[in-house]
Structure formats: structure tokens, C-alpha cells
Amino acid sequence: MWYLEELNKKEFMKFKELLQQEILQLGLKHISWTEVKKASREDLANLLLKHYEEKKAWDMTFKIFQKMNRQDLMERAGREIAGELVKAALQWVRIMP
């Protein structure tokens, strides 16, 4: 999850704070603040994928980027996801008789 690497230290801490708020608002399974606070960028990405399905993790991330006014990251991540969907569709088409 390269997008977390694009955040500076202050933005990354803000992302963590907004993540905790988002989890509470959505009534999702709680990740302890201690785990989130001490997590590196890679660790946080792994925590998200460990606790939530991939789509939910992406949805929360997009919402947080929107709240942080990081449209650039929303657009780049969106293009990456769209590209992965196209690749998956092409693979599926290739295996069809």
C-alpha cells in the first residue's frame, strides 16, 4: 500500500487519528489505539488488511484521503485499483472457452 508512504510524518499521524474516528463511526471491529499509534506505514497497511476485507480498507482510506484533502492520492490509488480490475477481467476472458 504505497499511498501511506506518500504521507509526511504529520499527515501520517492525522491519517491514524482519522482512521480511528472512521472505525468508530462505521461501527467496525476496533483496532487498539496503541497498535495504530506505534504502527509504521507498512504495519498499518497490514493491520487494515488483517482486520477488514480489502474493499472496506480501501473505502476507509479513500474517505480519509478526502478528509485530508489529498485528492492526488485518491486519484492515483483509484487508477491503480481500476488497472487491477482490468487485468483481472482480461485474465478471466482468457480462460473462458
Side-chain angles (χ1 to χ4, degrees), residues 43-94:
D43 292 339
L44 186 60
N46 289 331
L47 276 174
L48 286 172
L49 294 174
K50 175 182 169 188
H51 290 297
Y52 311 111
E53 64 182 48
E54 189 173 0
K55 184 179 181 332
K56 180 56 72 181
W58 274 111
D59 290 347
M60 285 192 298
T61 299
F62 281 127
K63 276 185 163 181
I64 294 168
F65 285 160
Q66 186 176 26
K67 289 177 182 180
M68 294 176 70
N69 295 316
R70 289 300 308 259
Q71 186 70 25
D72 59 321
L73 294 180
M74 288 176 59
E75 289 172 3
R76 287 174 54 199
R79 284 193 303 268
E80 182 178 301
I81 290 169
E84 291 300 316
L85 291 173
V86 168
K87 285 180 197 174
L90 288 173
Q91 282 182 325
W92 183 78
V93 168
R94 283 188 204 123

Side-chain angles (χ1 to χ4, degrees), residues 25-53:
Q25 288 174 355
L26 295 173
L28 298 174
K29 180 181 173 188
H30 182 71
I31 305 174
S32 79
W33 175 243
T34 304
E35 274 188 288
V36 171
K37 188 175 180 181
K38 71 178 184 177
S40 68
R41 286 159 173 77
E42 183 178 350
D43 292 339
L44 186 60
N46 289 331
L47 276 174
L48 286 172
L49 294 174
K50 175 182 169 188
H51 290 297
Y52 311 111
E53 64 182 48

Side-chain angles (χ1 to χ4, degrees), residues 16-28:
K16 291 177 178 183
E17 292 167 0
L18 291 171
L19 175 64
Q20 288 297 100
Q21 291 173 16
E22 191 69 23
I23 289 168
L24 288 174
Q25 288 174 355
L26 295 173
L28 298 174

